[in-house]
Amino acid sequence: MVTRRSILLPRKALVLGMASLLAAAGVTALSGTADAASTLGTAAAEKGRYFGAAVAANHLGESAYVSTLDTEFNSVTPENEMKWDAVESTRNSFTYTSADQIVSHAQSKGMKVRGHTLVWHSQLPGWVSGLAAADLRTAMNNHITQVMTHYKGKIHSWDVVNEAFQDGSSGARRSSPFQDKLGNGFIEEAFRTARAADPAAKLCYNDYNTDGVNAKSTAVYNLVKDFKARGVPLDCVGFQSHFNSDSPVPSDYQANLQRFADLGVDVQITELDIEGSGTAQATSYSNVVKACLAVSRCTGITVWGVTDKYSWRASGTPLLFDGNYAKKAAYTAALTALGGTGSGGGGGSAACTVSYSKQEEWSDRFNGKVTITAGSAAISTWTTTVTLTSPQKVSSTWNGTPTWDSSGNVMTMKPNGNGSLAAGASTSFGFTVMKNGSTAAPVLGSCTAS
C-alpha cells in the first residue's frame, strides 16, 4: 500500500590443515554453532516462518541500515521499486535497476523476496489510466507477464492485486482504471495471468483495514472463497496491519487470520507498523507475532521499514529500530514472542559504540579488530554483530564469544570475560577472515549494552 534479499577430499584436507594450524598458534577455531534465536529472522525461521522488512534501494549505501537489515531479517519487500510507475513508466519499456539492486542484495544474503505489487490503482503512470478497455487489458496482462518473467524463480510471494476494495461498510470494489473499465473480472484475470508467468510463486491478494472481521475483510473473504471454489489460482492473502491508537490491533485479529487460512490459503502480515512507543507499542507487536504463530498457515511477517527515521509514518515512531538503529522495547517484545533471546532495547542508560580496524593481512586472509566503548554510564555486558560479504568466512576469533546466523555470514559477538566496562572505557575482540576472493571490509551492527 505505502507510497513512499570441486573436489571433496582436498577440501577436507585443507580444513583439517587449517584447524591444525590454528591450534598450533593457540587460536580457537570456530565450531560454526549458531545461536539461531538471537535475531528476528532466525527466531522466526525456527518457527518455520520468515521475518522481513520493506527495503528502499536508496538506503542500501548506508552501512547501519544494511547491517541491521542483514543481521535481523530473512525476507525483503521492495518498498516502491517494483510498482508500476517504477518499472514501466513508459509503455512496454521496462526498467528494473533499483528493484534488481534489492533482489541481488537479498539473494547474496540468503533472504527471500516478496514482490510488491503488480496491479494497483495507485502509483500508476498516466498512460495506463488513459487506455480504453481492450488496450488496458492487454497492458495489464503484459505488465504482469513481463515483470514476473524477469524475476521468475527469485520471488517467493507476489502481491498480484493490491487494495481492490473500498473502505467502510459497503464491501464494494474500489474505483480504479481496472475496476471501472474491466469490471469485477480483472482480479481473476490478473491471477490467472500471474500463474502462467511464474507457476512456482505464491500469488497473494493484499489489502489494509482487513485485519479484523469487518465488511471490507468479509468482502475479501468472499472473493477468496469464490476463487478457491472455482480453482482460480490464489495462494495467499496479505494483511497490511498498519496500526495506531485510532486503529489498534483488533481483538479478533487471530480469528480473522484463521478464517482465511481455513479457506486453504496462506496468510501473511505484509506491511506491519504500529505507531507509539514503550510498553504499549511493545505489547501490540507481541500480540501480532503471537497471532501469526497461533495460525499454522501464517507463513511470515514483514515490517514496513527498517528504522523509524525512514518510515512513511516517521512521526509515529512505528518500527522496531529507532532513528539511530537502537533496538526498541517493541523489538524485544517481538523477539521474545518468537521464542528468541537477545539484547533488546527498553530505554535504559547503558550504551556502547563500536568501531572496526583492519590489522594484519596476508594473501588469503586478514585480521580485524572491533573496539567496544562504553557510553556515559558503566556497562556490565555488550553485544554487537559483524556481517561478512559472502563467500568470506571467519576462521577464528579471540576475546569474545561468537554465535552465527543460519547463513553463516553474520557473527554476533558477546563478551568473554571482558563485558564490564567503566563509563567511557574500551575493550576489543578480534577475528580472522578467510577472503575466498573478497577483500570487502566487514560491516558492524549497532552495539547494545546493559
Side-chain angles (χ1 to χ4, degrees):
M1 162 209 173
V2 186
T3 303
R4 313 314 150 236
R5 351 280 202 203
S6 127
I7 301 175
L8 294 179
L9 286 177
R11 180 178 181 275
K12 181 178 180 182
L14 176 61
V15 171
L16 291 174
M18 178 59 69
S20 299
L21 175 63
L22 293 170
V27 179
T28 302
L30 294 180
S31 66
T33 301
D35 180 2
S38 63
T39 69
L40 297 167
T42 52
E46 285 192 346
K47 303 293 187 182
R49 291 161 172 82
Y50 63 83
F51 204 106
V55 172
N58 63 343
H59 299 320
L60 289 177
E62 183 181 336
S63 60
Y65 183 96
V66 172
S67 177
T68 304
L69 171 66
D70 293 351
T71 300
E72 291 291 343
F73 301 101
N74 60 357
S75 174
V76 304
T77 301
E79 189 169 348
N80 291 295
E81 291 79 356
M82 286 184 177
K83 292 172 182 173
W84 199 315
D85 62 350
V87 298
E88 194 186 1
S89 60
T90 301
R91 186 169 187 178
N92 212 32
S93 178
F94 292 85
T95 303
Y96 299 108
T97 306
S98 294
D100 282 353
Q101 183 182 359
I102 294 173
V103 172
S104 296
H105 181 87
Q107 289 191 310
S108 75
K109 302 301 179 182
M111 299 175 178
K112 295 182 177 182
V113 183
R114 292 193 81 259
H116 176 80
T117 178
L118 295 167
V119 180
W120 186 31
H121 68 275
S122 186
Q123 290 181 251
L124 279 175
W127 65 265
V128 179
S129 302
L131 298 178
D135 219 9
L136 179 62
R137 171 172 282 108
T138 299
M140 180 186 78
N141 289 327
N142 181 63
H143 181 81
I144 294 169
T145 300
Q146 294 295 328
V147 177
M148 290 189 70
T149 299
H150 179 79
Y151 290 110
K152 188 173 183 178
K154 299 179 180 180
I155 306 293
H156 73 80
S157 303
W158 269 106
D159 290 332
V160 178
V161 175
N162 197 46
E163 301 176 4
F165 286 84
Q166 292 181 14
D167 290 326
S169 60
S170 69
R173 299 287 186 89
R174 177 192 297 275
S175 175
S176 72
F178 308 103
Q179 180 67 37
D180 298 345
K181 297 177 183 180
L182 304 182
N184 286 348
F186 89 87
I187 300 180
E188 177 175 342
E189 184 167 355
F191 275 88
R192 292 193 183 280
T193 300
R195 176 64 87 226
D198 187 352
K202 295 278 189 178
L203 308 181
C204 306
Y205 176 80
N206 189 56
D207 217 324
Y208 69 97
N209 285 351
T210 56
D211 308 294
V213 178
N214 55 39
K216 185 175 182 180
S217 66
T218 296
V220 176
Y221 176 90
N222 290 334
L223 173 82
V224 175
K225 185 177 181 180
D226 172 60
F227 278 15
K228 297 305 289 183
R230 294 192 296 107
V232 179
L234 185 151
D235 306 306
C236 43
V237 178
F239 299 83
Q240 292 184 15
S241 301
H242 297 293
F243 300 123
N244 56 34
S245 58
D246 295 325
S247 178
V249 181
S251 59
D252 56 1
Y253 187 64
Q254 178 182 323
N256 189 48
L257 296 178
Q258 187 63 61
R259 71 166 177 158
F260 277 86
D262 289 343
L263 293 176
V265 295
D266 291 340
V267 294
Q268 300 174 353
I269 299 168
T270 55
E271 302 181 19
L272 177 64
D273 51 21
I274 305 174
E275 292 188 347
S277 61
T279 301
Q281 184 184 46
T283 299
S284 293
Y285 265 102
S286 178
N287 289 340
V288 169
V289 172
K290 289 176 180 177
C292 180
L293 294 179
V295 177
S296 62
R297 294 200 69 152
C298 182
T299 58
I301 297 170
T302 299
V303 289
W304 202 252
V306 175
T307 168
D308 282 341
K309 69 176 177 177
Y310 296 137
S311 169
W312 68 296
R313 309 165 87 186
S315 62
T317 62
L319 296 173
L320 300 175
F321 295 87
D322 70 15
N324 295 315
Y325 298 95
K327 298 170 182 176
K328 297 162 60 176
Y331 170 93
T332 304
L335 182 61
T336 300
L338 287 166
T341 57
S343 299
S349 60
C352 56
T353 58
V354 288
S355 62
Y356 167 79
S357 61
K358 181 182 282 188
Q359 305 294 299
E360 302 83 2
E361 183 170 11
W362 301 271
S363 61
D364 62 340
R365 76 195 83 141
F366 61 87
N367 288 342
K369 177 182 177 181
V370 174
T371 300
I372 301 96
T373 303
S376 59
I379 63 175
S380 58
T381 190
W382 50 264
T383 183
T384 191
T385 59
V386 178
T387 300
L388 305 180
T389 299
S390 182
Q392 292 177 339
K393 293 295 178 185
V394 167
S395 62
S396 61
T397 68
W398 48 94
N399 296 340
T401 302
T403 55
W404 296 89
D405 76 337
S406 58
S407 73
N409 296 323
V410 181
M411 175 174 68
T412 298
M413 186 65 80
K414 297 181 180 180
N416 182 12
N418 56 343
S420 296
L421 295 174
S426 298
T427 187
S428 65
F429 65 86
F431 49 90
T432 299
V433 176
M434 304 306 297
K435 296 178 181 177
N436 295 324
S438 173
T439 60
V443 176
L444 301 185
S446 58
C447 187
T448 57
S450 61

